[in-house]
Amino acid sequence: MSWYGFIQKYFGLFFGLGILIGLIFSSVFDGYKNLVLPLLGTVMLFTFLSIDIRQALSNLKRFHNIAAVFIITKVILPILLYHLAKPLGTDISIAVFMLCITPFASISPTLTTLLEGDTEFILLNQILMTLLAPFYMPILIMLVLGAEIQLNPVQMFKILTFLIFVPFGLSLIIRPLLKSAVLKTKKYFGAVNILLIMAVICILLATAAGSILENPLHTLPQLGLSYLLGLILILSGLFIPFFLDRKKRIGLSVSVLYMNVGLTAVVASGFFSPEVLLFILIYEIPVNTLPTLMRSAAERFRKRD
């Protein structure tokens, strides 16, 4: 097995290591907060380079299904879970809402492939949600959270633009200029992205390590709630879009779970309280362990069949 194949197959191991390293060596990684934005931007660049955007969008079929998935996963579900989490406190409910409105992560198509879901469908959703994020995220936050927070939508738009449109624009320039090199090396992009995300996990967990390790009894309930949120999202992706076939719903189950948490954490760190950020960072733990369990469960079911 190639090194990049090993990394992609055992992605959960690397994400788990990222969590442990970030917590244990927090003093080392805590000083690299400024690298989170460039690292996430690089992940987005490799993601856009690995796919032919024009071809992917030209294959867009049944747009009403894409629109329905967006409305369900990025509008209805976030608002519903936000109100359900209200009794748990304002910070928790805001964190849940922020996590849910985030676009699917760049690794979602890879995870979908590993679970034998509809990768093309998830890829289309991920591309469209990512490109629309600078517009729909500030609007939804203002409409739903406007009474509880003070938001500068222009500043949020600038951050999201840097993380999304800059890598997207660079990919449109680099891909045709270095098409041969991109085609030869894109098989490595998935593994490189996993390692980059692992580095982001280390830095983000280091940010919250003090609160987690100094007062574990305080964070344990939040960890339990984050796992509950993850399970709810998995089940929502599997069963709410009942009009989709099984492979599409398998992809959605992992995609609504594994959202772009790094992007959410960057936004939260600039616009919300430390308590909101803490819950988002704690969510890194279930979001990076549950996909591995899902894959193991899927393999067992396939063996039975």
Side-chain angles (χ1 to χ4, degrees):
M1 181 184 296
S2 61
W3 66 269
Y4 54 89
F6 177 84
I7 292 173
Q8 292 186 78
K9 183 176 181 180
Y10 298 104
F11 64 92
L13 172 63
F14 291 91
F15 292 157
L17 281 173
I19 293 169
L20 289 175
I21 292 171
L23 290 174
I24 295 172
F25 300 101
S26 58
S27 60
V28 175
F29 289 95
D30 192 41
Y32 293 95
K33 294 177 186 177
N34 293 335
L35 290 180
V36 171
L37 275 173
L39 286 172
L40 285 176
T42 305
V43 169
M44 296 305 301
L45 175 60
F46 279 123
T47 300
F48 288 129
L49 283 175
S50 66
I51 53 180
D52 189 328
I53 303 293
R54 293 189 181 93
Q55 183 179 354
L57 295 179
S58 68
N59 293 330
L60 190 61
K61 300 175 182 177
R62 295 190 177 183
F63 182 75
H64 62 279
N65 280 343
I66 303 288
V69 167
F70 176 82
I71 293 171
I72 290 171
T73 62
K74 298 303 158 194
V75 181
I76 296 175
L77 192 59
I79 293 174
L80 176 62
L81 292 178
Y82 166 73
H83 288 291
L84 289 176
K86 268 284 192 178
L88 301 174
T90 301
D91 292 326
I92 297 294
S93 60
I94 291 175
V96 168
F97 179 76
M98 288 301 302
L99 286 166
C100 290
I101 66 170
T102 306
F104 296 164
S106 58
I107 199 173
S108 295
T110 302
L111 297 179
T112 299
T113 301
L114 293 173
L115 292 171
E116 297 187 3
D118 190 333
T119 305
E120 181 182 340
F121 181 72
I122 295 304
L123 178 62
L124 285 170
N125 277 278
Q126 190 254 331
I127 292 172
L128 291 173
M129 286 181 185
T130 302
L131 294 177
L132 289 173
F135 305 99
Y136 81 79
M137 285 183 67
I139 291 172
L140 282 175
I141 291 170
M142 289 177 65
L143 290 175
V144 178
L145 306 180
E148 300 185 40
I149 63 169
Q150 291 184 343
L151 176 70
N152 185 339
V154 175
Q155 184 63 25
M156 181 176 289
F157 178 80
K158 288 180 180 178
I159 292 175
L160 293 171
T161 297
F162 175 81
L163 287 173
I164 295 170
F165 286 135
V166 171
F168 177 66
L170 287 174
S171 71
L172 294 179
I173 297 171
I174 294 172
R175 189 177 177 87
L177 288 177
L178 303 173
K179 186 175 182 179
S180 178
V182 169
L183 291 176
K184 288 180 181 178
T185 58
K186 74 173 186 177
K187 62 183 177 182
Y188 306 120
F189 291 172
V192 172
N193 270 353
I194 289 172
L195 295 177
L196 289 172
I197 293 170
M198 177 182 169
V200 171
I201 291 170
C202 288
I203 297 170
L204 292 177
L205 263 294
T207 303
S211 300
I212 294 172
L213 297 177
E214 289 177 12
N215 194 358
L217 294 179
H218 173 69
T219 56
L220 279 177
Q222 295 193 33
L223 180 61
L225 288 172
S226 65
Y227 267 101
L228 177 60
L229 173 62
L231 292 172
I232 290 172
L233 291 173
I234 290 172
L235 294 175
S236 298
L238 277 174
F239 296 111
I240 292 180
F242 60 88
F243 50 88
L244 299 176
D245 61 48
R246 182 180 63 86
K247 284 194 171 185
K248 288 182 175 61
R249 287 186 283 116
I250 288 173
L252 281 176
S253 68
V254 70
S255 298
V256 295
L257 164 73
Y258 205 104
M259 296 160 291
N260 199 327
V261 181
L263 177 65
T264 317
V266 169
V267 173
S269 64
F271 298 95
F272 300 103
S273 69
E275 289 74 19
V276 172
L277 178 61
L278 177 62
F279 185 85
I280 290 170
L281 295 178
I282 289 174
Y283 186 72
E284 283 279 8
I285 298 174
V287 83
N288 287 300
T289 53
L290 286 174
T292 306
L293 298 177
M294 291 174 66
R295 185 181 173 210
S296 300
E299 288 178 348
R300 289 183 182 180
F301 281 117
R302 283 197 291 270
K303 288 179 180 177
R304 288 180 183 179
D305 293 340

